[in-house]
Every structure is written in structure tokens, then in C-alpha cells.
Amino acid sequence: MPYPPPLRAPSGPRRRTLLASAAGAALLVGCSAGPDSGGSSAASASERARARAARDSQGLLERYDAVLAAHPGLAQRLGPLRAQVAAHVRAFTDGTTPKPAKSSASPSAEPAVPAAERDALADLAAAERTLADRRAKALLEVPGELARLLASVAAAGATHAYLLTEGAK
């Protein structure tokens, strides 16, 4: 026995189609940064965020260098992570090398490195985690391409923190 026809045929698109279209449109608008998307104030905010990210990456790179100088036995383990942090510096500076980050203590102060390798790795992991969290929050306030770059580098930092922590066990 056939089913009876519906009392009322649906007119127009279904609710799911409308919701999916609205969500997709919102994502496209939120992820695109066109020339008219905020003017010079958005550009200067983006430039400041990029400069801060470059300084943060440079500071992290200096921390890796200090740990490697204090604990040369970690070179094989930290080498690939340090190389990625150096790539992040280049990505945020468009290939130019930023000036070294200056510490408030003195212009030539190097990051303090714990005497024990395990503690040095824990400090690096904490620095990576803190920076990844800060970048994850910052990506919500910057336009398209910079947000994608911050998200990618934050994910890499979180991965580095995991590798530094898990490898110490």
C-alpha cells in the first residue's frame, strides 16, 4: 500500500540547506581579508601583531640556542624543533631576520637555562605552550592570512611542547 502524499509540499529550500549556507558564508566572510576590510587601522593592528609574533619567535629561538649552548647533548633532539622556530621567525618577518629581542635586564642577557637537562626541556615546553596559547588567542583579532599563519604556528608550538614533555618521561 503506497503512502499518502504529504499534506503540504515544502516550498523553498530546506532548513538544513539554509543553515549550512549561512554557516559557510560566515566562514568565508570571516576568513577573507579584502582591501576594504578595515582600512589602515586594521592594517596597523595586523602589522603590530605580526611584529609581536616575530619578536616572540625570535625570543623563543634565542631560548633554544641558550639551551643548546648549555646542553650540547640535546642537539639531536632539539635541532628539528629549533629549525622550525627559525622558520617561524622568517615567516613572520617575510624572510628578513628581525633584530634580537632585548631583555629588560640588559641588552646582552641570555635566557637563564637550568643545569639539569630535564628542567631545561620543561622550561622550553612551558615557553612553547605559553606562546602557543597567546597566539591562539591573538588569531581571533587579526585578518585572514595572518590568522592562518598564527594558527599554524600555534599548532606547531603546541606540538613542540608535547614532544618536549613526552620525551622527558
Side-chain angles (χ1 to χ4, degrees), residues 89-155:
V89 171
R90 288 189 302 277
F92 286 122
T93 59
D94 295 326
T96 61
T97 304
K99 295 177 184 173
K102 292 194 177 183
S103 168
S104 59
S106 72
S108 62
E110 289 188 18
V113 178
E117 285 184 359
R118 173 174 247 158
D119 294 339
L121 291 174
D123 280 0
L124 270 178
E128 286 272 19
R129 194 175 303 109
T130 299
L131 191 51
D133 290 345
R134 187 177 334 146
R135 286 178 170 161
K137 289 176 187 170
L139 71 89
L140 299 173
E141 300 169 4
V142 295
E145 192 60 35
L146 182 55
R148 287 185 283 278
L149 179 58
L150 280 172
S152 176
V153 173

Side-chain angles (χ1 to χ4, degrees), residues 7-158:
L7 297 177
R8 193 178 93 182
S11 60
R14 293 178 169 237
R15 189 175 354 171
R16 285 186 201 159
T17 305
L18 286 174
L19 289 174
S21 298
L27 285 173
L28 287 175
V29 169
C31 289
S32 65
D36 297 332
S37 65
S40 63
S41 65
S44 63
S46 179
E47 289 170 8
R48 284 191 307 272
R50 182 179 282 273
R52 179 178 181 178
R55 282 190 310 272
D56 289 345
S57 289
Q58 182 65 37
L60 186 60
L61 184 62
E62 291 169 5
R63 186 177 291 263
Y64 270 91
D65 289 342
V67 169
L68 286 167
H71 302 288
L74 293 173
Q76 184 176 0
R77 181 169 177 193
L78 296 182
L81 302 179
R82 186 209 176 276
Q84 285 186 347
V85 172
H88 299 159
V89 171
R90 288 189 302 277
F92 286 122
T93 59
D94 295 326
T96 61
T97 304
K99 295 177 184 173
K102 292 194 177 183
S103 168
S104 59
S106 72
S108 62
E110 289 188 18
V113 178
E117 285 184 359
R118 173 174 247 158
D119 294 339
L121 291 174
D123 280 0
L124 270 178
E128 286 272 19
R129 194 175 303 109
T130 299
L131 191 51
D133 290 345
R134 187 177 334 146
R135 286 178 170 161
K137 289 176 187 170
L139 71 89
L140 299 173
E141 300 169 4
V142 295
E145 192 60 35
L146 182 55
R148 287 185 283 278
L149 179 58
L150 280 172
S152 176
V153 173

